[in-house]
Amino acid sequence: MLFGSGNHVTFDHVKRDSWGKDANLDYSPLKRVTGRSFGMGLLVSMGGLVFGYDTGQISGFLEMPDFMRRFGELGPDGYYFSPVRSGLIVGLLSIGTLIGALIAAPVADRIGRRLSVSLWCIVTSVGFVIQIAAQTSYIQIVIGRLVAGFGVGALSLIVPMYQAETAPPWIRGSLVCTYQLFITLGIFLAAVFNLGVYRGVPESSASWRIVLGLGWIWTIGLGIGILAFPETPRFNYRHGRIDEARKTLMRVYGAPAHHWAIHTQMEEIESKLRAESTVPTSFVGGYVEMFKAPRMSYRIFLGIALQMFQQLTGANYFFYYGTTIFRSVQISSFTTQVILNVINFSVTFIGLYLVEHYGRRLSLVVGSIWMFVCFIIFASVGHFLLDLEDPTSTPTAGIVMIVFACIFVLGYATTWGPMVWTLIAEIYPSKYRARAMALATASNWTWNFLIAFFTGFITNEIDFLYGYVFAGTNLVGGLIVYFFCMEGQGRTLEEIDTMYVQRVDPRKSPNWVPPPPEEMARIRREAGTADDVVDDVPTPSSEDDSNISSGNKPGNNHRENV
């Protein structure tokens, strides 16, 4: 990891240890955040905005009079949504995202990460059209959300992948966390727009059609804007476009071709590529090969578990039951969503700081304990003290629950919300990243659907005791991080891959010193991939390298010093 302070990253410690060819490289300080990396972070993270906006708007729709008349059921007390119908309308988006995440992997490997983003933005837009055109059939709304889900799910895979494969190691965690920041921004904007149209045109179809139509702004903006950015350097390198890969790194890092950071990164990418199989395989064969690859089964199941436990933190449960507890102090459901989402969005900025200054492991473990305590108090007060029949008669209990709901959101939005996406984007090697991330992301969407569909049935039976379930899952999630996750703070993706292959003890991973790229490649070959290496994989070269004499290089000890 790299030493640095303020707005620059310095390499003096590397220069002092260098000899031979590395002594002739440029070790000048680099800007921590360049204009290119900042622009990439903002634009590409709009995939999170699409994700958050699409998932956040539906809770408001279900309470809008016109939406209920058109797509609800008529009962003795007026129009309403049964648990099954509301579960399908809410949950089918998650089924679509599950399918989209799985399909997106082979597409991204074939046409690239950049073009895939544009393709899936088009699919998402088609889903919006289907929903806006609906008149009285709730099935059409369900189908529209399913189609939009295809695009949203694919973007939830490709956007973190694009950021992880392009970003400098010293800000990679923050950039990937920006994806979650934009998810919370999307949910917040959906809540604000829902509140606005509900107060302005509650009896008109515009109350929900306007909100749906506004989603085209971010979707079209992302689909077109991504074309102004290059393909990821790792994808380009794997397809023989070495000069393009180097140029992309130079732009994002803000460094010349002969800078140590560019030279080392190209060397590591090349070494890892030569240690991976480049023999084409079938679709099914690719997955079989992936599970058989060194330590890949371990990492695949780890990714699936992390995404599962992100959903099982219970964040969506808080938003689901927010209406009841806020009603105890006579706050409307629309205002409730705005309040919770203001907190959710604003505190996510803290997570961008924590991920690069305190690391992934510590932040996630502390976050798990934090959310466990919040759920114990929340569930206990809700079950034993809150009057479920008339919440306004127990305002004190409601206030206590509101406070701990907000405290929970603070813990979630600064740790498990953004950081799980960072971990998933960096624990897999380049060759298998798309497929492995697809399985992990599919796990997130599967549990998103299960919680969205079944929460209504469960809470009708055991009310706030449901919170104890999430308290337990938060503890389990923290233990999984502590015993199985490597620390990736400031590491290159190749170094993180080597830690898993080398079976480094996760508890000691923050202090692990990486070997040189050549040694990392040897470790991979000894792990069992040497027989699959092809000899004609091109090696990185440049005019600056041609005059550099040969010599051994030291390990890349990239620890950031704050």
Side-chain angles (χ1 to χ4, degrees), residues 200-238:
V201 285
E203 303 297 328
S204 168
S205 66
S207 61
W208 52 276
R209 284 186 168 129
I210 287 176
V211 179
L212 275 170
L214 289 172
W216 278 321
I217 298 175
W218 359 107
T219 307
I220 295 174
L222 173 61
I224 296 176
I226 191 66
L227 299 178
F229 287 81
E231 184 55 79
T232 71
R234 287 168 174 81
F235 182 86
N236 274 336
Y237 203 111
R238 288 188 61 83

Side-chain angles (χ1 to χ4, degrees), residues 50 53-55 57-58 61 67 71 88-97 99 120-135 137-153 208 212 216 219:
V50 175
Y53 188 78
D54 207 24
T55 57
Q57 61 193 6
I58 194 62
F61 290 177
F67 195 85
F71 309 112
L88 288 173
I89 292 175
V90 174
L92 258 292
L93 175 78
S94 300
I95 296 298
T97 53
I99 297 172
W120 293 109
C121 283
I122 295 174
V123 174
T124 304
S125 298
V126 172
F128 292 163
V129 172
I130 296 173
Q131 294 176 75
I132 292 174
Q135 295 296 324
S137 172
Y138 87 93
I139 298 297
Q140 185 170 343
I141 292 292
V142 168
I143 293 174
R145 285 180 60 77
L146 179 69
V147 173
F150 295 155
V152 172
W208 52 276
L212 275 170
W216 278 321
T219 307

Side-chain angles (χ1 to χ4, degrees), residues 452-529:
F453 188 83
F454 289 107
T455 288
F457 297 101
I458 296 173
T459 52
N460 286 340
E461 296 295 326
I462 63 174
D463 60 77
F464 287 100
L465 290 177
Y466 193 28
Y468 290 132
V469 175
F470 292 115
T473 54
N474 274 300
L475 276 186
V476 175
L479 291 173
I480 288 176
V481 171
Y482 181 75
F483 286 107
F484 299 104
C485 286
M486 302 292 181
E487 180 56 67
Q489 180 189 6
R491 306 283 190 192
T492 66
L493 297 179
E494 288 70 31
E495 290 169 353
I496 295 172
D497 181 38
T498 301
M499 280 196 289
Y500 280 101
V501 171
Q502 220 174 2
R503 299 177 183 268
V504 174
D505 186 339
R507 293 168 294 180
K508 298 178 180 178
S509 61
N511 299 317
W512 179 75
V513 178
E518 296 88 348
E519 178 67 12
M520 286 197 285
R522 184 191 63 79
I523 293 170
R524 287 284 291 167
R525 287 193 296 270
E526 290 182 354
T529 56

Side-chain angles (χ1 to χ4, degrees), residues 28 52 70 75 115 221 229 240 309 313 418 450 466 502 534 542:
S28 59
R70 289 172 180 269
L115 292 180
F229 287 81
F309 280 99
T313 56
L450 293 175
Y466 193 28
Q502 220 174 2
V534 293
S542 68

Side-chain angles (χ1 to χ4, degrees), residues 17 32 46 79 156 161 175 179 188 210 218 335 390 405 421 446 457 494 501 552:
D17 297 335
R32 188 176 299 279
M46 284 182 66
Y79 289 95
S156 71
M161 185 192 307
L175 278 184
Y179 174 70
F188 166 68
I210 287 176
W218 359 107
T335 306
D390 182 18
W421 294 103
T446 299
F457 297 101
E494 288 70 31
V501 171
N552 297 325

